[in-house]
Amino acid sequence: MCGIVGGWTLQHFVQLSVRLPVMTKSLTHRGPDAEGHWLDSEAGIAFGHRRLAIIGLGEEGAQPMHSESGRYCLTYNGEIYNHLELRKELIASGKTSWRGQSDTETLLACFEQFGIEETIKRCVGMFAMAIWDRQLCELILIRDRMGEKPLYYGYIDGCFVFGSELRALNAGSEKKPDFNTDAFALFLRYGYIPQPYSAYQGICKLPTGCLLRLNAQMLRQQQEPIVSAYWNPDDFLHDKGGQQIDPLEAVSQFEALLEQSVKGQMLSEVPLGAFLSGGIDSSTIVALMQKHSMKPIKTFTIGFGDARFNEAVHAKAVAAHLGTEHTELYVTDQDALAVVPKLADIYDEPFGDSSQIPTYLVSKLARTEVTVSLSGDGGDELFLGYGRYPTLVNYWRLFGAMPQPLRKIVANCLTIVPMKHWDRFFKLARPILRKTHYAQANGWRLHRLAGMLAVQSPEDCYLEMMCHWDPHMSLIKDARSLPHELSYPFNKKADGLLKQAALRDIKSYLPDDILVKVDRAAMANSLESRVPLLDHRIAEFALSMPQDIHFRSGQSKWLLRQVLYKHVPKHLIERPKMGFGVPLADWLRGPLRDWAETLLSPQSIAVAGMLEADPIRALWQRHLNNVTDGHYPLWNVLMLLEWVANQSKDKVR
C-alpha cells in the first residue's frame, strides 16, 4: 500500500518540480518506508511515490519504476494478488531477467507484453496507478474495479495533477481550488461525496473500473481527459431467462472462489492479521484464513462499554472457536471522542459515516502488531445483507399499491401539520405507544414518511431511504442539482428490488462510503487493508447469481452463511445485525455538545457562508430536547463545517 502523486505541464515545469516533493511528503502516512521521485523536464511529467513495503521489500521494488525497454514509467498504489501467475506466463513466453520480486515490475513487464488495458483485465487486485507512455507521449490513470484505492485528478495552477488524496493535489499550490458547494449538497444528503465529484471544483475522483487517457493536445488546451470503463458490474447480472441454478452447486463454486481469494490476499512479507467483529462477513474471512494458516491468525476487535454497540463479546467467542491469536481493546468514550478532532484531517474531504471512529481505532490497534489486515467489507452489498433491502420491498409493496392521488393526499395530510405539533402529540401519546412500533415516532419521521409516499418508483423510494436530510430541502445556498441519482438508475435486468438496490450500492455507497472509510482510517495508521470479498471474480459470481440464491427463506447472505457454518456453529453467529457504530446521538447531547454547539452556532454557520442556518438550528434543538434523533443529518453538517474550518490550516501531516 502506498501513496501516489504527480503532474504534467507544458509551461510550468519548474513550479511542478518544486511542488513535487511537497506533494509527495503530504502522503507520508500512506507510505512511511520510502519516498521516490521521477521527473522528465523535456516531456514536463513528474511522478512521486510514498512506499509502504509489503512485497519485494528491497530497493528493487522502489517506485516510480521504469519498464525494461524504458517505454513505461509507473507509480502505483495497491497489490496485484496474481502477479506470480502473471510472471509465470511471461517466463513461459520467454522473459528471463527480473530485477526483484515486486508486483510493480510484473505490471511493467505485462504492459510491454500485453498492452496496458489487456494487462489490467488480467490483474486480480486493488490498485490506483499512473503510467507515462514515453512512445505515445500519453498519461494514463487507472483505478481498480470495485474502488478499493482512491485516485483524484484535475487542473491546478496550469498543471494537470493527480494523487491518492486531495491534500496531495493542493500541497505546495499558491491557491486551492474553490469549494464545490454543489457536491456539498450531495454530501449533506448522503454522508459522502459520490464519484466523480470531489470537495473542490474542477477536481474529480476517477470512477471505479475506469481508465483515463490524457495527451499533449488535451493538456495544452486544458481539456477534460478521456475516461472510459474497462469493467462494469452490469455486464455480469444474472440472466433471468437462463438455466436454473442449483443452490448447492452455487455454494461449492462460491466457496472455491472465496478460498482462492483469501489465500491470494494472505501473500505478504510483513506481519498480517484481520479485523474481526464476530459478524458473518469478517468471521467467514477469518475462518478461511485460519484454515490456510499453519499458525494462529492475529485478529483484532474494538469493544465499547455500551452493550448496544459492543460486538467484542461476539468476536471473542468466534476467535476462541477458531483458535486465533485475538486482541481486543475496550475503549472509553474519551478514547473515541479524542478521534473526533482528527477526522477532518484523516478523511481529507467531508465524510459523514460515524463508524469512521471505531474503524480508525481498530486500525490503530491492528497496526501495533501487523502491517496488513484483511476485512469482511463488501458482503452486505454483494450478498444482499442490508436490512434496508427488504424494507424497500415492504415499503413499495405498501406504497406502490396505493393510487398516486391517494398517496399524495396522505402525504399532504402528514405535512400540513408542522413537525413541532406532531412532536407534542407523540410526547403525550408516548406512554400508550411505548410497547408498539410507533414508540419512536415524531414529526421528523412523519415528514420523511410523507416524502416516501410521494415517490413515483421503487428507485425514488430507495433514494428517500438513503437520504439523511430531506432531498427536497436546500441546505446549501444557490447549490445546483448534480446528476448523481441519474448516474446510477436501478437496472431492471437485476431480478428483483433487493438486487437492484444492492447493485446501486455497489456502484456508489460501497466505493464512496464503505471503502473510503476503511482506506483513510487504515492509511492514517500506515496499515494496508485488504478485502477478499471484493475480488472481482467473486463480485462477478455474486452478480451472476439470481436474487433467490442470496436471499432464501427470508434470510440474507445465504451463500456466505453456508460457507461459514462449516467452520463456526450457528449459535455464535445468528443474532440481529448490529453494525459498527458508536452512541453518537448520546454523545451529541453529552460530551460532544459544546463542540457541536460551537460549530452549529449561527455565527459559525455564517462564517462558513454556504449553509441555511434555520433548518439546521431547528433540528439541533429538537435533538437536544430528545424529541428527534437527528444525529445522522447533524453529523454530516458537523463534518462539513469541521472540514471547512480545517482547510484554513495549511498543514502537512
Side-chain angles (χ1 to χ4, degrees):
M1 197 68 62
C2 307
I4 66 171
V5 70
W8 188 17
T9 179
L10 300 179
Q11 297 177 318
H12 306 285
F13 187 73
V14 173
Q15 294 95 313
L16 177 60
S17 63
V18 171
R19 284 185 59 200
L20 184 67
V22 183
M23 297 165 73
T24 308
K25 184 180 179 182
S26 73
L27 298 176
T28 300
H29 55 287
R30 297 188 74 92
D33 295 332
E35 178 172 306
H37 302 108
W38 169 74
L39 300 96
D40 184 333
S41 58
E42 183 177 346
I45 191 82
F47 283 179
H49 189 266
R50 288 295 317 191
R51 186 182 184 195
L52 178 63
I54 305 294
I55 297 172
L57 305 183
E59 283 297 317
E60 67 278 0
Q63 295 186 50
M65 185 183 292
H66 296 268
S67 63
E68 192 171 42
S69 72
R71 174 176 177 177
Y72 299 109
C73 182
L74 172 66
T75 184
Y76 144 66
N77 165 29
E79 299 289 349
I80 305 301
Y81 302 120
N82 67 330
H83 92 96
L84 294 178
E85 288 80 2
L86 292 172
R87 280 203 175 199
K88 289 178 182 177
E89 192 174 350
L90 291 167
I91 291 169
S93 67
K95 181 170 174 58
T96 57
S97 62
W98 298 92
R99 286 170 286 180
Q101 301 299 316
S102 73
D103 54 356
T104 311
E105 186 181 0
T106 304
L107 276 172
L108 286 163
C110 286
F111 292 161
E112 296 204 322
Q113 179 72 20
F114 308 121
I116 291 174
E117 192 158 350
E118 179 59 30
T119 294
I120 294 305
K121 291 178 179 178
R122 292 169 182 248
C123 286
V124 177
M126 55 179 181
F127 45 83
M129 61 181 75
I131 307 153
W132 174 248
D133 184 337
R134 187 188 302 273
Q135 181 175 309
L136 298 181
C137 193
E138 185 177 57
L139 175 66
I140 302 101
L141 305 182
I142 310 176
R143 191 174 178 205
D144 65 62
R145 299 168 179 88
M146 303 302 292
E148 291 183 63
K149 294 294 100 192
L151 190 53
Y152 295 84
Y153 69 89
Y155 288 97
I156 296 179
D157 292 343
C159 298
F160 181 85
V161 290
F162 64 86
S164 297
E165 297 181 15
L166 279 175
R167 76 180 80 242
L169 277 65
N170 286 324
S173 174
E174 294 180 1
K175 183 180 182 297
K176 293 179 181 178
D178 293 333
F179 291 154
N180 188 346
T181 53
D182 302 330
F184 291 166
L186 286 175
F187 166 72
L188 292 177
R189 195 177 302 170
Y190 298 112
Y192 58 86
I193 296 179
Q195 58 184 334
Y197 309 113
S198 85
Y200 293 109
Q201 292 183 23
I203 304 300
C204 297
K205 300 181 180 85
L206 184 62
T208 57
C210 281
L211 181 149
L212 175 154
R213 293 182 182 273
L214 182 71
N215 61 36
Q217 182 178 348
M218 296 175 191
L219 178 67
R220 189 173 293 109
Q221 299 175 5
Q222 294 204 8
Q223 294 177 348
E224 289 300 308
I226 296 172
V227 176
S228 59
Y230 65 86
W231 188 86
N232 188 334
D234 291 340
D235 295 339
F236 305 97
L237 287 173
H238 168 66
D239 181 1
K240 291 180 237 185
Q243 65 183 46
Q244 290 292 106
I245 305 294
D246 176 19
L248 295 181
E249 177 60 25
V251 172
S252 177
Q253 292 179 35
F254 169 62
E255 185 173 22
L257 285 171
L258 186 54
E259 291 210 30
Q260 180 184 42
S261 175
V262 169
K263 284 193 291 185
Q265 297 199 23
M266 290 175 68
L267 181 66
S268 174
E269 295 179 26
V270 294
L272 174 143
F275 300 143
L276 178 61
S277 69
I280 293 168
D281 305 338
S282 66
S283 297
T284 304
I285 298 303
V286 170
L288 294 181
M289 290 176 71
Q290 193 58 71
K291 176 182 176 181
H292 295 288
S293 176
M294 299 297 292
K295 59 183 180 180
I297 291 293
K298 293 179 180 289
T299 54
F300 305 91
T301 192
I302 291 292
F304 289 95
D306 190 329
R308 296 173 299 166
F309 302 93
N310 185 34
E311 293 186 297
V313 62
H314 307 297
K316 187 175 183 178
V318 172
H321 178 81
L322 294 174
T324 71
E325 184 181 328
H326 190 58
T327 301
E328 64 178 13
L329 175 66
Y330 273 79
V331 297
T332 65
D333 285 357
Q334 289 69 34
D335 295 329
L337 296 173
V339 178
V340 173
K342 305 175 184 177
L343 293 175
D345 191 42
I346 291 170
Y347 283 87
D348 196 35
E349 190 171 43
F351 187 73
D353 186 335
S354 61
S355 61
Q356 60 200 141
I357 297 173
T359 304
Y360 172 84
L361 290 169
V362 76
S363 298
K364 184 177 180 181
L365 173 65
R367 189 62 176 92
T368 61
E369 296 190 40
V370 301
T371 310
V372 178
S373 186
L374 277 61
S375 78
D377 292 297
D380 286 312
E381 293 83 2
L382 289 173
F383 302 97
L384 314 188
Y386 288 123
R388 60 177 178 261
Y389 299 154
T391 298
L392 168 66
V393 173
N394 293 333
Y395 274 17
W396 188 246
R397 187 178 292 130
L398 174 63
F399 301 154
M402 295 172 63
Q404 182 68 25
L406 177 58
R407 278 193 269 148
K408 195 168 184 179
I409 291 171
V410 175
N412 288 339
C413 289
L414 292 174
T415 54
I416 200 170
V417 179
M419 281 190 277
K420 62 182 180 180
H421 295 330
W422 279 120
D423 291 339
R424 292 192 190 114
F425 167 77
F426 284 113
K427 186 174 183 179
L428 291 172
R430 193 154 291 158
I432 302 171
L433 301 174
R434 68 176 182 271
K435 293 185 179 180
T436 72
H437 292 298
Y438 306 102
Q440 301 302 317
N442 55 51
W444 173 266
R445 292 187 176 185
L446 278 189
H447 277 229
R448 289 302 307 275
L449 176 62
M452 295 183 70
L453 281 167
V455 301
Q456 303 289 324
S457 67
E459 180 177 0
D460 293 337
C461 186
Y462 191 63
L463 288 174
E464 289 277 349
M465 290 173 59
M466 293 294 286
C467 286
H468 296 171
W469 284 94
D470 183 341
H472 309 292
M473 181 186 293
S474 178
L475 293 177
I476 301 286
K477 298 175 182 177
D478 303 320
R480 298 172 303 161
S481 179
L482 293 175
H484 170 60
E485 290 85 356
L486 300 178
S487 301
Y488 302 102
F490 274 17
N491 189 328
K492 302 305 188 292
K493 286 174 61 180
D495 60 323
L497 285 183
L498 297 173
K499 200 165 179 184
Q500 289 173 20
L503 181 60
R504 188 184 191 281
D505 282 350
I506 288 169
K507 296 176 181 179
S508 183
Y509 179 71
L510 176 63
D512 296 329
D513 184 305
I514 301 299
L515 296 179
V516 168
K517 174 184 67 181
V518 175
D519 174 81
R520 304 305 193 278
M523 286 283 87
N525 291 286
S526 302
L527 176 76
E528 173 167 301
S529 60
R530 296 179 179 178
V531 191
L533 287 172
L534 296 186
D535 183 309
H536 75 275
R537 297 166 297 187
I538 291 176
E540 292 168 5
F541 176 81
L543 290 163
S544 73
M545 290 292 105
Q547 179 175 288
D548 61 9
I549 288 290
H550 295 305
F551 201 92
R552 297 178 66 79
S553 303
Q555 193 174 55
S556 65
K557 299 185 181 178
W558 187 78
L559 286 173
L560 271 170
R561 292 175 194 270
Q562 304 319 300
V563 174
L564 179 58
Y565 293 158
K566 296 180 180 182
H567 305 277
V568 178
K570 291 184 180 181
H571 73 270
L572 292 182
I573 298 297
E574 298 298 348
R575 62 181 186 277
K577 187 176 177 64
M578 183 177 290
F580 199 30
V582 291
L584 186 58
D586 296 338
W587 287 351
L588 289 175
R589 297 186 186 105
L592 284 178
R593 178 170 178 165
D594 290 344
W595 166 78
E597 180 60 58
T598 300
L599 283 174
L600 297 177
S601 68
Q603 296 83 2
S604 178
I605 293 175
V607 169
M610 69 183 82
L611 292 170
E612 298 287 356
D614 289 347
I616 296 169
R617 290 292 306 173
L619 181 58
W620 175 233
Q621 291 304 316
R622 290 159 54 78
H623 182 84
L624 289 178
N625 294 333
N626 211 17
V627 172
T628 293
D629 180 356
H631 78 272
Y632 283 118
L634 288 170
W635 188 248
N636 291 351
V637 174
L638 289 164
M639 288 294 96
L640 175 59
L641 291 171
E642 183 81 348
W643 182 84
V644 169
N646 195 59
Q647 296 312 290
S648 63
K649 308 168 187 174
D650 188 17
K651 61 183 179 179
V652 174
R653 185 165 41 182

